[in-house]
Amino acid sequence: MAFNCSVLLSDIGLNCSDGITGGIKKVYLGLKENLTLTLDTSAETVLLSANLGDAVTFEHNPKDKSTYFLETKETDLSVPVIETEIFVKLPAIDNKASKIEEMSYRNDIVCILMHNNGSATISGRIMGLDMNYSAASGTSTKDISSINITLKGSSWESSIATSDQSLISLGTPWATTNQIWSNNNIIWG
């Protein structure tokens, strides 16, 4: 099978600085049951549209360089196993901590990541993602407090990716405009 380098290197110009190559801009979480995907019937990895009915928006600090997306594929006895890991560092311990604790008991979480280069990935669509978290703060006024969230999942299919973020629509946000979390939409517990 031929390998097309133009896809792999599509965001790198001749001077290696033409495109925005990475970075996570937005993180949205929801439940598998609230995710609707329309895929191309001739190529099941081509996304035509996606809608996440209810979503939680995680505002992370893009300058802290700690939020990441990682996906690896290994073959175990001729069966592909794809491991997905997403780490999000929230910059403060606030009223979201108790909601994150509720979310951490679920294993059917989906995550939509909007990337700075205009692409998006949808993870957890097949088997769901598990959530673990830790919160940390020190006693000094210079100490940084944060909530560190790790989403992990295993599946036989990778996250679905698209280079067109407009194909993804989000339903009711689970937080009001002033970022007060609502209990009305998603029942996590």
Side-chain angles (χ1 to χ4, degrees):
M1 176 182 234
F3 181 73
N4 186 345
C5 286
S6 66
V7 173
L8 178 67
L9 305 173
S10 64
D11 58 355
I12 300 176
L14 291 176
N15 64 5
C16 295
S17 64
D18 285 350
I20 299 172
T21 58
I24 296 169
K25 182 169 51 172
K26 288 270 191 181
V27 179
Y28 300 101
L29 297 185
L31 300 177
K32 272 180 34 176
E33 65 190 36
N34 296 327
L35 178 66
T36 306
L37 297 174
T38 304
L39 302 174
D40 188 326
T41 55
S42 62
E44 292 182 0
T45 58
V46 176
L47 182 69
L48 299 176
S49 69
N51 180 39
L52 184 57
D54 293 318
V56 176
T57 304
F58 278 179
E59 298 291 337
H60 67 285
N61 180 358
K63 295 178 183 175
D64 70 9
K65 298 182 181 179
S66 60
T67 296
Y68 66 83
F69 167 79
L70 174 68
E71 195 158 80
T72 58
K73 177 196 170 276
E74 294 184 10
T75 303
D76 184 18
L77 299 173
S78 303
V79 178
V81 177
I82 296 165
E83 301 285 336
T84 302
E85 180 173 312
I86 300 165
F87 179 83
V88 182
K89 184 174 188 170
L90 302 180
I93 299 174
D94 56 15
N95 62 338
K96 296 183 191 88
S98 60
K99 295 297 177 190
I100 290 169
E101 191 266 336
E102 286 178 36
M103 286 187 255
S104 71
Y105 292 104
R106 303 294 299 233
N107 62 0
D108 57 347
I109 297 172
V110 292
C111 180
I112 297 176
L113 298 175
M114 300 294 192
H115 302 273
N116 286 325
N117 63 359
S119 67
T121 51
I122 302 171
S123 302
R125 67 188 178 99
I126 302 291
M127 300 291 289
L129 300 170
D130 292 314
M131 177 190 284
N132 293 307
Y133 75 95
S134 65
S137 186
T139 57
S140 169
T141 56
K142 294 181 182 178
D143 288 340
I144 297 173
S145 68
S146 64
I147 301 174
N148 302 315
I149 298 166
T150 305
L151 300 162
K152 288 186 177 183
S154 297
S155 180
W156 58 90
E157 286 194 28
S158 65
S159 300
I160 194 157
T162 180
S163 57
D164 184 0
Q165 292 179 357
S166 70
L167 296 177
I168 299 172
S169 61
L170 299 166
T172 309
W174 197 46
T176 61
T177 53
N178 58 357
Q179 294 301 306
I180 298 172
W181 286 30
S182 164
N183 289 320
N184 299 332
N185 300 320
I186 299 178
I187 307 301
W188 291 99

